[in-house]
Amino acid sequence: MTSRLGRTTGAPRRAVRGTRLAAVTFAVALGVTACGGGSGGDGAAGGSATFTYALTGLPTSLDPADYQGDPSRNIGFELASSLFRWDTEGLPNQGCDTLANVDQLTGQLAESHETSEDGKVITVKLRDATSAAGNTLTSNDVKWTFDRLIALEVGTPNTLMQDVADYTADPIKVVDDKTFEIHLDNPGAMSLAILTWAQFRILDSTDVKKHVTDADPWGKEYLLNHSATFGPWTQEPGDFVAGDRLTLKANPNYKGERGDVTKLVFLSVPDASSRAQLVSTGNASYGTGLQYEQYAQLKDTPGVDVQTCASADRIPLVLNATDPNLGKPEVRRAISLAVDRQSIVDAVYRGFNKPSTGGLSQAYGIENTENGTYKHDVAQAKQLMAQAGVGNFPITLHISPSRPGPEAEQIAILLQSQLKEIGIDVKIQTVASATEINTIFHDGTFQALLYLEPPAVADPYYSIFLYNSSFSKLNTYGYRNPELDDLARQVGSMSPGEDRDRLVTEASEQMVENPPFIYLVDRDFVHAVREGFTNYQHAPNGEMFVYTLEQG
């Protein structure tokens, strides 16, 4: 992860890395041979190919209720079986250049939907679909899947239903085998868009219920190593080695459109250099979470395509508003003015990513006003510090190489230097694990923290609401702004259009003038993939959707 961990002298480090890479390469070769194909575009003829996907790690469970970070996300989106998906086919470069908005959805398992006049009931009709176990999709599968997420109190799905889209406590009502209703307390723009999130994949309840017990009424034990979906992939328990590898094969009963990849191998490769090398040599088709130096090198590597696509992901500086100094709006604004965002991007990202320009991501296409644009003005920052009546003071900045990434230390050192100019002494506290940095954030036990905001649903409302409104459970840092709260509620009830854009612009101004999260970097989605495949669908969550890929 971070270069500070395990730093040794040059020769032994190279030897260890070489040994590890050789072992990983050998494991990849064994996996691909067992799958009967090659990685990249070297699959067997006749519309059959294997895609090898090198991840930072693999989860220990395939259960959508057991979310274990990015690996669960990567696998979950690929399993598909969602009611709705992003309609990227008609967008420029299939969504790479422009994010799909919340009105640009199409059915995956859903065939059609109608909304009642008051917006509180959405009636959905299902397509004909069959799981790998041979069971036909029904409304009862949808009902059971949602009941399960609610009963197990699964975090992100329940936040999306209860706080983002305002579903009722018991939202799914079965009408008949192929028709069900979604009930909402209040209508909003996000009502269907949230269902693109991977944890809402519909499970084959007929299959899972064969394995439930009184002690395990929701089949958690069975779903540890069974995907049990209606999507394009299937697997046997032996295809999943918890934390190490997963092989997916084409669901023979899948009726939806799919590309040429018939086997998808996920491999755990914790070391970023090893993942990059596997892609470089063609032993992996794709590697996640590479360092930007590695992306820059791969751009010049024959046989590798480095794709850079629009993203709403951002890196913020989080300041605890319960702190007697950091809670003052003038101090927060001064800190924002003292940050030279362009210099951070120039120093850290090797030509990738952009400095944040305002309260909301540039990927949303909202033009910032003068008041809604971040500025770098140290003199004005010093004036605001004086107005706030604070002298020089120290803060502790928590960082982790797991979130936002291995560049966290570089960013922190630059912030340390820049904030020193206005009398703030930054002490950097590094924590290694994603779990620890998330716990620190959720418990609010920090003065300052470098974080990552990757929206589950890429929409301005989600980005305004999730961390920055006072009525969100994830506002753990005590920020309160009634004007921003009011704008968030209005934006959340409106569909995309000029009126909504006007309110979004006002919200962005509020987030610059009275900062909640102080955004530093707008990140792109960067994908380093082997050449030989086309028809990438660039959904705004940044996932690959290998099942759509075609050879050639």
Side-chain angles (χ1 to χ4, degrees), residues 191-260:
S191 301
L192 295 180
I194 66 165
L195 301 180
T196 62
W197 179 245
Q199 288 177 279
F200 285 113
R201 58 187 180 270
I202 304 304
L203 299 174
D204 178 357
S205 63
T206 302
D207 182 29
V208 179
K209 284 179 179 178
K210 293 176 183 177
H211 306 278
V212 303
T213 64
D214 289 343
D216 182 20
W218 296 108
K220 287 183 66 64
E221 186 68 26
Y222 183 68
L223 288 168
L224 282 173
N225 58 3
H226 291 81
S227 49
T229 72
F230 297 91
W233 300 108
T234 186
Q235 44 79 223
E236 299 294 332
D239 296 326
F240 178 53
V241 180
D244 184 58
R245 69 169 55 222
L246 168 67
T247 299
L248 300 179
K249 295 165 285 192
N251 173 4
N253 300 322
Y254 184 67
K255 297 180 175 69
E257 293 184 9
R258 68 173 306 135
D260 298 327

Side-chain angles (χ1 to χ4, degrees), residues 24 49 105 110 114 116 176 186 221 267 328 348 359 361 439 505 509-510 512 518 535 549-550:
V24 171
L105 301 170
E114 293 183 1
S116 63
D176 58 39
N186 292 291
E221 186 68 26
L267 287 176
K328 296 181 178 181
V348 174
S361 170
T439 298
T505 300
E509 286 184 356
Q510 283 289 325
V512 171
I518 296 174
N535 200 39
L549 299 185
E550 298 171 356

Side-chain angles (χ1 to χ4, degrees), residues 461 483 485-494 500 502-503:
Y461 170 67
E483 292 181 66
D485 284 351
D486 182 58
L487 288 166
R489 290 189 175 94
Q490 292 183 67
V491 170
S493 68
M494 301 170 70
R500 191 177 196 247
R502 177 179 52 78
L503 295 178

Side-chain angles (χ1 to χ4, degrees), residues 358-402:
L360 290 166
S361 170
Q362 297 162 70
Y364 292 138
I366 304 299
E367 290 193 19
N368 295 323
T369 64
E370 178 69 17
N371 290 335
T373 301
Y374 285 136
K375 298 177 179 64
H376 177 224
D377 190 332
V378 175
Q380 186 181 354
K382 290 178 177 178
Q383 292 175 4
L384 286 169
M385 293 285 283
Q387 290 174 21
V390 298
N392 296 354
F393 64 89
I395 62 171
T396 298
L397 173 63
H398 282 86
I399 66 170
S400 172
S402 63

